[in-house]
Amino acid sequence: MLGPVILAASRSDRMRRLISAAPVTKQVVDRFIPGETVGDIVPIVEDLTAKGLELTMDVVGEDITTPEQATAARDAYLQLIEQIKPLELGERVEMSVKLSMFGQALEGGHELALANVRPVVEAAAAIGTTVTLDAEDHTTLDSMFAIHEELRKDFPQTGCVIQAYLFRTEADARRLAANGSRVRIVKGAYKEPASVAYQDKHEIDKAYVRILKTLMDGEGYPMIGSHDPRLISIAQELARKAGRKLDEYEFQMLYGIRGEEHLRLAAEGHRMRVYTAYGTDWYGYFMRRLAEKPANLRFFLRSMITKG
């Protein structure tokens, strides 16, 4: 399986330098990351929302080693919110944040991440939208869920992400569904050991469906993060059986992947949100996109051969 190999490469400084220096890399990265600055990304926001799509915005960059970098990450999100405020799009454009960017892994990181993310959540609420806390590797999740619970005391619309491949997730889903949370379910994109996560794709898919049923039957708002046509069909059927209206759940897919499907779902009346990342520190995000799906890796390698 190439996925674990690619994920290992995502943590290699040598591979980072090699891939970043390849002439073709930027052309391929642009498929998944449409800009480096807020100025680049605002026209993308306007274009996608004009097509009936919604967005969740991610400022890429996770390799935070100082409190000053964590503060800069916070400020980057605040700048984004300030720039999209005049568009008056409300919840059609939300934010996705990785708490590692806000200093979670530093000394005193839990408190630091909470202190940094709270102003972002407050600013998002002020323009009528919200924030979703992305899931990272399993060692960070207790902290993430605790911060999520704390933020929901004042901002109950704050969302979080759960990963189907982790053994713990079915219990997490039951708790979150019972307390009415906004929850994005994804398969998972980190290299996790067999002691905490399913390794077989079929087992991950089965867990995804079990968890999704829990969310659909619960009191919260499910967000289906998947490009898999079969899982999308299953999600629609589970929503129907749970008596959910089209505005009581949503689909989420990555920018640059299955764009025609984004438009098809939106045209059918579904809420379809595009996960749109931007920024200069793209390497970790890009490598996880390659690891998630063989077609993404083939696309990259083919581009390296034909354009390199």
Side-chain angles (χ1 to χ4, degrees):
M1 294 177 62
L2 287 174
V5 176
I6 298 170
L7 289 173
S10 74
R11 296 185 294 275
S12 166
D13 288 337
R14 181 174 178 275
M15 289 300 297
R16 177 191 290 264
R17 291 192 299 271
L18 179 65
I19 291 175
S20 298
V24 73
T25 295
K26 186 178 188 307
Q27 300 171 43
V28 182
V29 169
D30 286 348
R31 171 180 173 171
F32 303 105
I33 303 175
E36 294 188 348
T37 69
V38 173
D40 295 333
I41 213 69
V42 168
I44 302 295
V45 171
E46 293 178 305
D47 177 60
L48 293 179
T49 53
K51 294 175 179 175
L53 301 170
E54 304 184 19
L55 290 88
T56 184
M57 306 299 300
D58 175 16
V59 182
V60 293
E62 303 155 43
D63 297 325
I64 299 299
T65 58
T66 69
E68 291 76 19
Q69 290 174 321
T71 300
R74 177 203 67 193
D75 292 345
Y77 273 96
L78 294 175
Q79 181 188 25
L80 169 63
I81 292 168
E82 189 64 27
Q83 290 295 312
I84 65 172
K85 178 179 178 180
L87 303 181
E88 297 184 343
L89 293 168
E91 64 180 15
R92 294 186 65 197
V93 181
E94 65 154 35
M95 317 297 145
S96 283
V97 304
K98 290 180 173 58
L99 292 175
S100 59
M101 278 189 68
F102 291 82
Q104 187 185 45
L106 304 180
E107 184 176 354
H110 179 85
E111 291 76 15
L112 179 62
L114 176 58
N116 279 326
V117 75
R118 184 179 288 277
V120 176
V121 175
E122 292 172 346
I127 66 166
T129 189
T130 189
V131 170
T132 295
L133 307 182
D134 274 336
E136 301 182 70
D137 76 80
H138 76 279
T139 65
T140 68
L141 294 184
D142 286 340
S143 171
M144 185 273 282
F145 285 128
I147 289 174
H148 176 245
E149 186 174 346
E150 183 64 27
L151 291 170
R152 288 195 75 232
K153 293 176 182 177
D154 297 317
F155 304 97
Q157 68 275 29
T158 305
C160 69
V161 177
I162 57 177
Q163 301 168 104
Y165 66 173
L166 295 176
F167 300 149
R168 65 172 288 169
T169 300
E170 291 190 54
D172 290 329
R174 287 191 293 272
R175 172 177 54 82
L176 292 163
N179 68 23
S181 292
R182 293 174 66 254
V183 182
R184 180 196 306 148
I185 175 175
V186 299
K187 290 185 181 181
Y190 292 83
K191 184 178 178 353
E192 297 286 11
S195 58
V196 302
Y198 298 108
Q199 307 295 308
D200 178 73
K201 179 183 181 301
H202 184 60
E203 291 300 323
I204 296 170
D205 286 352
K206 289 195 297 183
Y208 192 107
V209 173
R210 291 194 302 270
I211 294 161
L212 183 54
K213 184 177 188 304
T214 296
L215 296 179
M216 287 293 188
D217 290 341
E219 300 298 321
Y221 180 78
M223 300 179 282
I224 302 100
S226 178
H227 306 96
D228 187 328
R230 179 171 170 271
L231 291 179
I232 290 168
S233 295
I234 290 172
Q236 291 172 312
E237 179 63 16
L238 290 175
R240 186 190 65 78
K241 288 182 177 179
R244 286 185 177 264
K245 300 175 182 177
L246 291 181
D247 63 352
E248 293 177 337
Y249 63 97
E250 68 183 48
F251 293 100
Q252 296 192 6
M253 298 186 193
L254 297 169
Y255 181 93
I257 300 179
R258 302 198 72 202
E260 292 183 0
E261 182 71 355
H262 302 178
L263 297 174
R264 184 189 72 82
L265 287 168
E268 290 181 355
H270 292 286
R271 296 190 69 180
M272 175 62 232
R273 194 177 298 275
V274 183
Y275 191 109
T276 307
Y278 74 98
T280 57
D281 190 10
W282 48 263
Y283 180 76
Y285 178 88
F286 176 65
M287 294 297 282
R288 282 196 302 280
R289 301 294 77 80
L290 296 184
E292 281 175 340
K293 193 174 181 183
N296 294 340
L297 178 60
R298 288 195 297 270
F299 175 81
F300 180 58
L301 294 176
R302 185 166 61 248
S303 299
M304 292 281 285
I305 293 168
T306 59
K307 300 178 184 178

